[in-house]
Structures are given as structure tokens and as C-alpha cells.
Amino acid sequence: MPQPAPLEESSAVIGDGLVDELVAIGRSHGLAAVGVADADVFTDTLDDLLDRRSKGLNGQMQFTYRNPERSTDPKRILPGARSLVVGAWGYRREDAVPGVERGSRSRPLARVARYAHQDSYAALRQALSPVAERLKADGWRATIISDDNALVDRAAAHRAGLGWFGKNSLLLLPGLGSWFLLGSVVTDAPLGSAQGSGFAHGRTPDAHGSGCGSCSRCITACPTGALVSPGVLDARRCLAWLVQAPGSFPVQYRDALGDRIYGCDDCQQVCPINRLAERKDPPAPSESESEADVDLLGLLESSDADLLQRHGRWYIARRDPRYLRRNALVALGNTGDGNDPATERALRRALDDPDPMITEHAAWAAQKLGRDDLVGRVA
Ligand code: B12
Ligand code: SF4
Ligand code: SF4
């Protein structure tokens, strides 16, 4: 393998040629935007993580909060790291799966957030892979990282000039919106900073400013008031976290969960930047294996093994399927028909479950559906 030319210090930077090539490679493999940033510590994000943790805003979440010093220092991923090549993968597809009509189903269905309709993280990694390979071909080291506790992906994308932090805390790409997953190639190649594709090329990370202007729709649309101030999320109220969290689903947010079973998209769905982008460039059709809905009664009938096989790529607390059943019972209470025999059977079965967490959620669902009689049977 050819060795890279010796470079004294990180101030030495490879010419724009390689950066342009890396950007072109990423774009040709489906990334909507690619940018380059230095691999210095993300000190502002470190401060944000520590501050939010001290205020309890992370709830029981670990992720990047477990070890903020580590997750904000790319050199902990790759010793000697000098640069990040950051990519954004658009996951928005049509919600309807070809051949499946939502309205024609008589059984209650639960909604899955769009990023989880298909394995978009795998697609993102696949698109970043040729970028990493190109760097390796010149003898540099390169590691792909996305949605890993070891790096703050949004801060990396922001530094690479890909977009701005919206008031919903998501990173928005100018003119394209927020339906993007983010990932980086961490490398010891000194690529310079804040250079990128298309609209982002050559701009500093702050060049986009806040594209939100006076809009604050996401804040008012959040069903639980989890966006406690612009850009700041209180995980203890965020449905996207509560469906992943262990323990009982907080009673005060069960109605707000509605028909969701995994994730929440409300603060993106109301965003005018997303809406405009969708109107200009309608989403591609869903892949046939897309999972936009889950049959609630089917889920409640399934074995642990089946649930893990079907939903194993979701983040499920302690990899324990009882948390999927817990979520399903809340969604059933919100959307089911208490007089439907199949629903009644599912509730009876859950009320007889040896697990007190399941019986408690089943009792809540039965009462919500006007079937206090089923609960009385157990008491
Ligand atoms: C923990 C986590 C969560 C938590 C908490 C999210 C949060 N907002 O803190 C939960 C489980 C709730 C969650 C939910 C979701 N997540 Co998430 N999550 C993460 C994870 C693992 C870490 C995020 C993190 O470190 N947060 C800590 C805080 C400090 O950083 P931050 O949220 O980016 O906050 C920045 C802003 O607040 C900004 N800021 C500071 N002050 C101010 C002031 C103003 C005025 C403004 C505007 C901004 C601002 O600076 C902060 C950074 O320094 C990342 C993956 C990763 N490894 O990075 C994915 C990630 C952030 N999630 C992602 C996604 C897709 C989602 C969901 C859309 C999934 C869903 N549909 O359910 C929701 C969106 C909810 C939301 N409004 O954020 C994507 C976001 C992509 C994007 N375009 O932004 C990421 C990057 C995963 C990925 N690799 O693509 N997530
Ligand atoms: S994901 Fe849902 S609950 Fe969380 S902040 Fe956005 S709208 Fe609110
Ligand atoms: S809804 Fe408005 S405030 Fe929220 S992210 Fe979109 S543009 Fe920004």
C-alpha cells in the first residue's frame, strides 16, 4: 500500500483535489451532501452535554451523555485523527408501501418513525464506505462512524458546513430540510476544514446561520412540550426517547403517544423547510420491505424471538421485547376498539401476563377503551 507523503503537523493540508474527489465519491454514492471538517474537540457540544446532564435533561439516556469527553473527541475513535468527512443520507420515502393500503386494514396499526422504515443507517454506511476506501488507497487510516456513542454526529455535520441547528435540535440542510441521517469518516488525512459539496462548498460552519428565522412551529407542535427552548430537548418528555426507555411508560404522556410504536416525527413534519423541500422534490417510492406500520395485535401475539427477529435493528431497552409490548399496549389503548373480539382477546391475554409491567399497561389500555370490566376480572 502506498504511504502518504510525510506531513509535519496538522497545519499541513492536502490540496483541494482530494477533497473534491471525496465529495464527488460520496455524492455519486447517494449522499445528499458531503463536507469536510477538522477533528478538533467539539468543546461547545461538550459544554452542552455536561450542562444538560447536570440539569437532568438527558433523563436516563446514556448514548453520548455516558462519556461526553469521549463522544466529543474524534481522536478517541482514531488516534491521530485530523479530519472528518461528513455525509448526509436522505431517508424520506413515500409513507405508503406499494400494494398495502393503510385504510383497508381492519386491525389497529401503529406508526413507525420514518428513519426506521428501512435500515437507513446501513445505506448511509454503504455510501460512506467508498470515501473511506479512497482515503485508505492513499495510505491514510479511515473509520466510518454513525449513530455511535463515540461521536456527536450533528456537531460534526455542522462544523463541516452541511447545515444549521433547527429549533427542533435537528440539523437542517439548506433547501433540503432535516430528513437526513448523518455519519462521518474519521481519518488521519489532513483535509482542511469546512469544505463540502454543492451549497456547502467552501463555507465556514456558521455561514448558514439559523435558517429558522422567526418560525417556531416545531416547538408548539411537539405533543409533550419536550422542546423546552430553541434547540434544547428534554428527553424525559420526548416520545422518541420514551418508546426506547426502560420501565413504565409515563402515564402523563400515554395519550400523546397516539398510534406511535417507535420514534416520533412531529417536530419534523410541521417544519416548513421540509414541506417546501418535499413539494419541490417529492419523495421516492418506498422499498417493498419498508416498515411504516406495525400490526398491533400481531405484535402482541408474537414470541420474543419473532419480535427480535422483526424489530431487532430498533433500539429496544435492554434488547427486551417486553418494551415493545408495553408500547403496543399504549398505542392499542389510544387507537383500538374495545368491542372488537380480537382486541378483547389481546387485552385479556396481556392482563393475565405474569409480568406486572405488562398487566399495568394492559389495564390502562382496557380502561381507555371502556373495558373496565376486563380489569375488574383481574382485581
Ligand atoms: C441521544 C440522541 C437522541 C435522543 C435525544 C435527542 C436530542 N435532541 O438531544 C432521542 C432518543 C430523543 C433522539 C430522538 C431523535 N433522533 Co436522535 N440521536 C441521539 C444521538 C445518539 C446523540 C445526540 C446528542 O449527542 N445530543 C446531545 C446534544 C447536546 O446535542 P444536540 O442534540 O445535537 O444539540 C445541539 C443543539 O442543541 C445546538 N444548540 C445549542 N444551543 C442552541 C441554541 C439554539 C437557539 C439552537 C437552535 C441550537 C442550539 O448545539 C447542540 C450541540 O452542541 C445522535 C447520534 C450521535 N451519535 O450523535 C442521534 C441523532 C441526533 N438522532 C437523529 C434522529 C434522526 C432522531 C429522530 C428524528 C428519530 C425519530 N424520528 O424518532 C428524533 C428527533 C428528536 C429531536 N427533536 O431531536 C439523527 C439526527 C439527524 C439530523 N438531521 O439532525 C442523529 C444525528 C443520528 C444520526 N446519526 O443521523 N435522539
Ligand atoms: S420527537 Fe416528538 S416528542 Fe420529541 S421533540 Fe420532536 S415532536 Fe416532541
Ligand atoms: S419548524 Fe420552524 S423553527 Fe422548527 S426547525 Fe423547522 S424552520 Fe426551524
Side-chain angles (χ1 to χ4, degrees):
M1 179 181 290
Q3 288 303 302
L7 287 160
E8 293 298 312
E9 262 311 312
S10 55
S11 56
V13 165
I14 296 179
D16 270 358
L18 180 58
V19 172
D20 288 346
E21 202 185 327
L22 295 171
V23 168
I25 291 171
R27 298 277 281 139
S28 70
H29 285 83
L31 295 171
V34 184
V36 168
D38 64 58
D40 293 346
V41 172
F42 292 92
T43 48
D44 289 351
T45 304
L46 174 60
D47 292 346
D48 285 339
L49 285 165
L50 294 172
D51 178 54
R52 292 177 196 186
R53 196 172 66 178
S54 74
K55 292 175 178 154
L57 294 175
N58 61 319
Q60 300 171 68
M61 278 189 333
Q62 294 296 322
F63 305 119
T64 48
Y65 285 91
R66 184 192 293 277
N67 186 346
E69 283 78 11
R70 172 177 171 245
S71 57
T72 51
D73 182 1
K75 292 184 181 63
R76 304 265 195 116
I77 300 167
L78 184 80
R82 285 170 168 146
S83 310
L84 307 171
V85 185
V86 190
W89 176 265
Y91 59 82
R92 177 83 177 88
R93 302 284 178 275
E94 276 176 6
D95 285 341
V97 180
V100 178
E101 275 195 41
R102 203 166 198 269
S104 68
R105 301 285 304 261
S106 57
R107 287 160 72 93
L109 293 176
R111 225 180 335 151
V112 176
R114 285 170 176 167
Y115 80 110
H117 287 189
Q118 58 274 318
D119 192 353
S120 296
Y121 284 110
L124 167 65
R125 285 173 170 276
Q126 228 172 336
L128 284 170
S129 174
V131 174
E133 290 312 313
R134 174 64 188 85
L135 285 160
K136 287 180 189 168
D138 274 4
W140 303 108
R141 287 179 295 146
T143 302
I144 296 171
I145 197 124
S146 175
D147 205 38
D148 188 292
N149 303 339
L151 187 67
V152 281
D153 296 327
R154 291 204 270 235
H158 184 249
R159 185 184 281 173
L162 261 51
W164 78 91
F165 284 110
K167 291 179 190 169
N168 55 11
S169 94
L170 282 128
L171 192 101
L172 283 89
L173 277 57
L176 299 178
S178 64
W179 301 109
F180 296 93
L181 295 180
L182 306 168
S184 297
V185 176
V186 186
T187 178
D188 56 351
L191 299 173
S193 56
Q195 302 173 65
S197 65
F199 47 80
H201 189 86
R203 296 196 189 169
T204 64
D206 290 324
H208 300 303
S210 171
C212 293
S214 59
C215 175
S216 56
R217 281 193 208 177
C218 49
I219 295 180
T220 39
C222 174
T224 56
L227 295 165
V228 289
S229 64
V232 180
L233 179 141
D234 184 345
R236 293 168 298 188
R237 301 192 206 177
C238 177
L239 297 171
W241 166 243
L242 294 174
V243 293
Q244 299 182 0
S248 175
F249 198 99
V251 177
Q252 68 270 36
Y253 301 127
R254 288 184 191 174
D255 287 349
L257 188 67
D259 65 347
R260 297 176 189 81
I261 186 129
Y262 190 71
C264 169
D265 283 335
D266 284 20
C267 57
Q268 297 191 85
Q269 265 163 333
V270 297
C271 178
I273 316 269
N274 281 339
R275 291 183 168 206
L276 197 64
E278 276 178 44
R279 234 176 293 141
K280 273 201 215 142
D281 187 14
S286 282
E287 287 93 15
S288 54
E289 67 275 17
S290 172
E291 194 175 32
D293 302 304
V294 170
D295 175 348
L296 279 172
L297 300 178
L299 188 155
L300 288 167
E301 281 162 14
S302 299
S303 68
D304 283 5
D306 280 351
L307 289 179
L308 285 178
Q309 200 253 327
R310 221 172 303 144
H311 306 294
R313 69 182 159 78
W314 292 357
Y315 181 91
I316 305 168
R318 298 177 189 137
R319 311 276 318 144
D320 188 341
R322 69 203 274 263
Y323 293 114
L324 289 177
R325 295 194 186 98
R326 172 201 65 181
N327 297 348
L329 286 165
V330 178
L332 185 64
N334 287 330
T335 60
D337 171 0
N339 296 318
D340 166 50
T343 300
E344 182 180 327
R345 269 196 305 280
L347 288 171
R348 282 182 189 279
R349 221 179 15 255
L351 284 162
D352 282 341
D353 200 286
D355 179 347
M357 187 187 73
I358 295 299
T359 51
E360 187 270 310
H361 287 78
W364 181 88
Q367 280 162 341
K368 185 95 197 281
L369 296 176
R371 296 303 306 265
D372 302 54
D373 56 313
L374 299 178
V375 183
R377 181 184 70 94
V378 175

